[in-house]
Amino acid sequence: MLDPTGIFDLIKTSLLFWEFITFAILLFLITRYVYPPIRDQIQKRQAEIEGAIDEAQKTREEARELLAEYRRQIEEARGEGRRILEDARKQADAQRERTKKEAREEGDKIVQRARDEIGREREGAIRDVRREVAGMVIQASEQVLGRTVDHDEHERLVAQALDDLEAEVAAGSTGNGSRTA
Amino acid sequence: MSNMLTLAQISATEVREEIIHAFEAGQEVWVELALFGIDISITKAVVNLWIGAVVTFLIMFVGSRLLKDRPGAYQVIVEEVYGFGRNSLGGQMGEEGRKFFPYTLTLFVFLLVLNLAGLIPNAYPVTASITFTLFLALLTFVITQYVGISRNGFGGYVTAFVPPGLPLKVVFVPFMFAIEWISELSKPLTLAMRLYANMLAGHLLIFIFLSFILYFGTFMAVVSVPMAIVLYGFEIFVAVLQAYIFAILTQVYIEIALYRKEH
């Protein structure tokens, strides 16, 4: 025998034979029943992960767009608010001004009306007083003279006298501040 | 104690026989069988081979049946092994070579299991047998030649062994052809020898260090046992490394044949 100890194990037909059978079966079983499910699983997961990444990317894109949109809307709303406030302020100012003006005008008008009224009253009163005074003076003069006087002439004289008196009174009232009836 | 003292008196011849016995045990016939006069008895080596094959299959098969969308640790390992075969073994030179990875990956896992199983005490290291490694190497050689011829055509494949642009064609063409073919034929031999010698040497080293105890006496255990443990650890590394080398070289040889004309 070439190798009596077996340490070099030169060509052992039994090992060779069974190795061939065993390895062939093992190779068949593993390539048939082991690799395909693992491959499918890996491919499935790969597809899932890719899908998830795509999904995430899409979602992020959408979120970014949404955020930009919201930012824009907020900016718009802020601008709008500012504008509204500005308008309101302007309107309020204008309103105030207008109200003030109207009030002033109204007041002026009332004052004017009152003044006119007073003036009219005053003139009426003066006219009455004059007429009264003239009448009284004429009456008194008639009684004193015992005859009728020329009414028209007399009235003119009285009016002149009264005008003089009035002028005097006016001068006096501005002079010492007290007014005598 | 008296036992150890008698152990210490063993002779060199006896030590050698003790070591050799571990390998002789592989030839121990358990069931005697013959096919057309050829011995196909089931020996210890054959049974160890079967155990290795069954373990290889179970490791992979169980992993392939426990596949979930959320992988556990075991699934990750099996998937990593698959990924290693597909991406690291396959496609050394081109995409087309990738389709041979199921063969090389099976070879890798099978050799790894057998290498590691051979380290278990009292198991027979099947990969430390030249018959075993030579068979796988020759199988690789046959696949290599088949793939090379079927892809490049017989003429294309054979002539591609001669590099183009040689001077003095009458002399150099036959010369290079012979050189290249010697190199090609040496591939299965080196492949077989590498694995066989590495595994055998590793086991012998462990045996030799432990046999110092038998030869020199019990006190040698102080040196022998730590050394044996270190070598044992180293052997685990070698087991993985040699399985990887065998598998990757097989893949590379196949792909070289595949792309013979392009290179």
Side-chain angles (χ1 to χ4, degrees):
Chain A
M1 210 169 160
L2 197 66
D3 175 30
T5 59
I7 194 164
F8 296 113
D9 191 27
L10 286 172
I11 314 311
K12 293 282 178 295
T13 49
S14 69
L15 183 61
L16 204 58
F17 175 79
W18 290 115
E19 184 186 353
F20 176 71
I21 303 279
T22 311
F23 189 65
I25 293 171
L26 180 69
L27 195 59
F28 170 76
L29 288 179
I30 285 190
T31 48
R32 181 107 166 69
Y33 296 107
V34 173
Y35 295 148
I38 297 176
R39 185 195 58 216
D40 292 348
Q41 177 70 29
I42 289 173
Q43 279 172 354
K44 196 177 120 204
R45 192 163 48 240
Q46 201 169 356
E48 265 171 21
I49 289 169
E50 272 166 14
I53 288 171
D54 286 351
E55 183 74 36
Q57 221 151 23
K58 219 171 68 195
T59 311
R60 201 166 51 206
E61 207 56 50
E62 274 175 18
R64 197 175 289 143
E65 274 168 22
L66 220 60
L67 186 67
E69 173 73 23
Y70 285 158
R71 279 217 180 107
R72 205 170 51 73
Q73 280 181 3
I74 288 172
E75 213 45 56
E76 269 180 24
R78 205 170 274 156
E80 184 84 355
R82 236 190 326 259
R83 223 187 60 233
I84 289 171
L85 209 64
E86 201 59 40
D87 280 4
R89 195 171 289 142
K90 251 185 244 163
Q91 267 178 12
D93 283 353
Q95 183 70 30
R96 199 164 51 224
E97 283 303 312
R98 201 162 55 234
T99 313
K100 231 190 255 173
K101 209 171 105 203
E102 275 173 14
R104 201 177 298 128
E105 279 170 0
E106 188 71 8
D108 286 355
K109 234 183 272 172
I110 290 170
V111 168
Q112 193 58 43
R113 241 193 336 261
R115 207 168 274 157
D116 290 355
E117 189 79 1
I118 289 166
R120 262 198 312 278
E121 287 289 321
R122 190 160 154 265
E123 284 199 359
I126 288 169
R127 228 179 358 258
D128 285 355
V129 167
R130 282 178 109 158
R131 200 182 302 123
E132 202 93 345
V133 168
M136 277 161 67
V137 167
I138 291 165
Q139 218 172 10
S141 305
E142 278 174 348
Q143 277 176 2
V144 168
L145 296 173
R147 62 167 181 107
T148 36
V149 286
D150 181 11
H151 213 269
D152 289 341
E153 178 64 17
H154 207 86
E155 254 185 9
R156 197 186 54 82
L157 287 173
V158 172
Q160 197 180 348
L162 277 171
D163 285 344
D164 290 349
L165 182 72
E166 249 177 16
E168 218 169 288
V169 167
S173 75
T174 52
N176 55 26
S178 68
R179 190 167 182 163
T180 47
Chain B
M1 198 63 199
S2 63
N3 250 352
M4 283 187 173
L5 286 174
T6 44
L7 277 178
Q9 279 153 15
I10 211 163
S11 73
T13 325
E14 283 169 315
V15 167
R16 209 181 68 222
E17 274 167 11
E18 282 293 325
I19 293 170
I20 284 168
H21 175 73
F23 292 92
E24 279 178 332
Q27 309 315 319
E28 211 173 86
V29 176
W30 290 8
V31 180
E32 212 166 327
L33 283 173
L35 188 72
F36 308 121
I38 300 165
D39 171 38
I40 56 161
S41 306
I42 295 164
T43 59
K44 189 181 175 184
V46 173
V47 173
N48 275 276
L49 174 78
W50 287 347
I51 292 170
V54 168
V55 169
T56 304
F57 179 70
L58 284 181
I59 287 173
M60 300 302 284
F61 186 73
V62 170
S64 75
R65 298 296 119 166
L66 294 175
L67 298 174
K68 286 187 231 81
D69 283 339
R70 286 158 191 270
Y74 192 69
Q75 186 180 341
V76 170
I77 291 169
V78 172
E79 281 180 11
E80 279 303 311
V81 168
Y82 180 86
F84 158 76
R86 192 176 182 284
N87 304 319
S88 299
L89 287 178
Q92 293 291 330
M93 297 172 82
E95 269 311 299
E96 216 176 317
R98 213 182 278 283
K99 67 180 180 211
F100 291 95
F101 92 84
Y103 171 67
T104 40
L105 181 59
T106 307
L107 205 56
F108 169 72
V109 180
F110 188 38
L111 289 177
L112 182 64
V113 169
L114 285 175
N115 284 352
L116 291 174
L119 286 168
I120 296 168
N122 212 28
Y124 177 74
V126 187
T127 46
S129 148
I130 189 73
T131 307
F132 179 85
T133 58
L134 198 57
F135 169 76
L136 291 180
L138 286 174
L139 189 61
T140 294
F141 182 75
V142 170
I143 292 172
T144 303
Q145 303 313 313
Y146 172 75
V147 164
I149 289 167
S150 66
R151 189 174 181 276
N152 302 298
F154 183 78
Y157 178 68
V158 172
T159 52
F161 276 85
V162 182
L166 284 176
L168 209 65
K169 283 197 186 323
V170 189
V171 181
F172 277 103
V173 167
F175 178 71
M176 283 310 290
F177 188 80
I179 291 280
E180 287 287 327
W181 266 102
I182 288 167
S183 143
E184 183 73 10
L185 292 170
S186 71
K187 277 177 185 173
L189 281 177
T190 55
L191 200 57
M193 287 300 286
R194 186 182 297 109
L195 179 60
Y196 156 73
N198 268 291
M199 295 321 292
L200 182 68
H203 285 92
L204 282 179
L205 268 176
I206 294 172
F207 279 132
I208 287 164
F209 268 100
L210 288 176
S211 71
F212 284 169
I213 301 170
L214 300 174
Y215 189 69
F216 293 110
T218 321
F219 69 93
M220 268 307 282
V222 181
V223 179
S224 290
V225 173
M227 276 309 288
I229 289 169
V230 168
L231 279 170
Y232 198 90
F234 182 66
E235 274 310 291
I236 292 172
F237 166 70
V238 170
V240 179
L241 185 69
Q242 289 303 323
Y244 174 69
I245 289 174
F246 197 99
I248 195 130
L249 280 179
T250 296
Q251 181 75 34
V252 168
Y253 291 162
I254 290 172
E255 292 194 23
I256 285 175
L258 208 57
Y259 298 108
R260 183 51 99 171
K261 261 206 276 200
E262 281 100 286
H263 291 277

